Amino acid sequence: AGIGRTTLHKHYATRDDLLRAVGHRVVDLWEQAVAEITGIDAADGGLRAVAEAMIPIGPQLAFLWRTPAFDHDQDMEARWRAVEEGTLAILKRARDQGVIAAAVPDWWLLSTFYSIIYVAAESVGSGLLAPLDAPRLALSTFLHGIGPALEQP
């Protein structure tokens, strides 16, 4: 980060304080991403827009999703749940528009979407996937899987 330990401790007394600050910053980014899409009226329910917004912050989201220290932070949990509901609302809108199968449970929608966002972000970060190609590949995988196209009889 380019700062010394002493300077860091002036701002954050403990490791938990630092983790909490970073976690809240990630939720801020996630909230901004979802808020920008909420008003979009797209044929795909806003799926492309949310993928485009979340993939660039994927490494930060991965930190949030994988840090056990946030499991017992009530303020963080409340913010996390609220932004998760916003993300789910976008996925449900796509489901309501027939883009996603109606029988897919909410928890599966979120888990699958988060997984694909994570892999897309990691692939961009490692140079395997171009940033501009990531949303298209992520959505194609999310909506159609990776199997061969079914032949029509």
Side-chain angles (χ1 to χ4, degrees), residues 52-108:
E52 288 172 348
M54 288 179 70
I55 290 170
I57 62 170
Q60 292 91 340
L61 290 169
F63 169 79
L64 181 70
W65 295 334
R66 297 183 340 192
T67 302
F70 302 134
D71 293 345
H72 306 291
D73 185 324
Q74 292 179 352
D75 184 42
M76 179 66 73
E77 184 178 348
R79 291 189 67 207
W80 180 331
R81 295 297 169 224
V83 71
E84 190 168 70
E85 283 299 318
T87 306
L88 182 58
I90 294 165
L91 296 172
K92 285 180 172 182
R93 185 170 60 204
R95 184 172 55 197
D96 292 346
Q97 292 178 348
V99 178
I100 297 171
V104 177
D106 293 352
W107 64 270
W108 188 251

Side-chain angles (χ1 to χ4, degrees), residues 10-134:
K10 285 181 183 178
H11 294 283
Y12 306 103
T14 67
R15 179 180 183 275
D16 286 343
D17 291 342
L18 175 60
L19 284 176
R20 196 173 302 107
V22 172
H24 280 288
R25 175 66 181 132
V26 174
V27 174
D28 290 344
L29 294 171
W30 191 6
E31 287 171 340
Q32 290 169 0
V34 170
E36 292 173 7
I37 289 122
T38 302
I40 292 177
D41 185 26
D44 68 356
L47 284 178
R48 182 169 188 88
V50 77
E52 288 172 348
M54 288 179 70
I55 290 170
I57 62 170
Q60 292 91 340
L61 290 169
F63 169 79
L64 181 70
W65 295 334
R66 297 183 340 192
T67 302
F70 302 134
D71 293 345
H72 306 291
D73 185 324
Q74 292 179 352
D75 184 42
M76 179 66 73
E77 184 178 348
R79 291 189 67 207
W80 180 331
R81 295 297 169 224
V83 71
E84 190 168 70
E85 283 299 318
T87 306
L88 182 58
I90 294 165
L91 296 172
K92 285 180 172 182
R93 185 170 60 204
R95 184 172 55 197
D96 292 346
Q97 292 178 348
V99 178
I100 297 171
V104 177
D106 293 352
W107 64 270
W108 188 251
L109 277 176
L110 280 172
S111 295
T112 305
F113 190 71
Y114 291 167
S115 297
I116 289 172
I117 293 298
Y118 173 80
V119 170
E122 287 287 311
S123 298
V124 168
S126 66
L128 294 171
L129 182 59
L132 294 177
D133 292 337

